Amino acid sequence: MAILESCCFWKDVRSGSFACAIYTLVYFGFSTLMFLFYLLGEQEFLLGNRAHPTGESLLEKGDVTVVTVIFNVLLLFCSMLMVLSSVLLILGLQQSKRQLMLPWICFMLGDMLIECFHLVYLALSRRVNFDPIVGFIFTMDFFLLCLNLYCLLCVISQYQTFRSQRAELQQASSAASQPRS
């Protein structure tokens, strides 16, 4: 049985999964561009020509740390994979192929875990000055994580629906091929 029976404003999880695929395609497309521009500024550091990153952050006091650059590289990698897997998700939904949904599920889970670890790192590193702007950014990130979790549950529910439909078809075909006495 699927986790969700309906998703968002749609009556079924299939339509909601299409909406999740479009949302993640746009969101992670912009995220990819944002991380690319950020990491282009850190190109000298990433190539080993500079000892420390020179970028700035709204969240951290002073210059960013090496750990933050590593998180940004990981998030760029996840964002690019999410763009590709969003296209696969759309194809999987159109063709009713649940295998094409698995990359999206895995990469979304990975991105959410990296985001959570990054937030925990920022909170524990004592480099964050909690002013209204930082509080707003943390709040927005929390809501985006919740939205991504809801999308993940919606797509997993559609995956479960495809799986149960396939099991029913196999059961019906095996019952039809059984010799009658």
Side-chain angles (χ1 to χ4, degrees):
M1 177 169 200
I3 298 169
L4 302 174
E5 296 296 324
S6 65
C7 183
C8 304
F9 302 106
W10 292 271
K11 294 188 187 291
D12 62 348
V13 289
R14 185 183 183 108
S15 300
S17 294
F18 271 113
C20 293
I22 299 299
Y23 152 71
T24 55
L25 186 63
V26 171
Y27 174 76
F28 286 104
F30 282 126
S31 293
T32 299
L33 291 175
M34 185 182 72
F35 286 120
L36 277 173
F37 284 126
Y38 170 78
L39 292 174
L40 281 175
E42 294 294 343
Q43 187 175 9
E44 293 294 315
F45 169 72
L46 292 170
L47 293 174
N49 298 335
R50 195 172 345 116
H52 299 287
T54 59
E56 295 179 8
S57 172
L58 289 173
L59 298 175
E60 291 182 276
K61 294 182 259 182
D63 292 337
V64 296
T65 63
V66 174
V67 175
T68 298
V69 174
I70 292 170
F71 273 117
N72 287 336
V73 169
L74 288 173
L75 289 169
L76 169 64
F77 187 65
C78 278
S79 292
M80 292 187 319
L81 290 173
M82 280 302 298
V83 168
L84 294 174
S85 64
S86 294
V87 173
L88 287 177
L89 177 60
I90 292 169
L91 291 173
L93 290 167
Q94 287 175 339
Q95 300 172 5
S96 298
K97 292 186 177 180
R98 63 187 169 114
Q99 299 86 353
L100 294 176
M101 300 171 75
L102 287 174
W104 189 95
I105 292 169
C106 294
F107 296 140
M108 178 60 90
L109 188 59
D111 179 76
M112 290 174 59
L113 287 172
I114 292 170
E115 281 280 341
C116 288
F117 286 135
H118 187 216
L119 288 174
V120 167
Y121 163 75
L122 286 173
L124 296 177
S125 70
R126 300 182 192 258
R127 293 182 45 87
V128 177
N129 229 357
F130 278 98
D131 59 14
I133 293 174
V134 172
F136 177 75
I137 292 170
F138 268 83
T139 303
M140 288 301 298
D141 200 36
F142 173 75
F143 283 117
L144 285 171
L145 277 171
C146 290
L147 177 61
N148 290 345
L149 177 62
Y150 187 73
C151 287
L152 181 64
L153 293 175
C154 183
V155 173
I156 289 173
S157 297
Q158 182 58 44
Y159 179 86
Q160 291 173 331
T161 301
F162 280 159
R163 188 177 62 198
S164 67
Q165 288 171 350
R166 182 173 174 109
E168 289 171 6
L169 285 174
Q170 285 178 341
Q171 191 176 32
S173 69
S174 68
S177 66
Q178 296 276 334
R180 294 185 181 160
S181 18

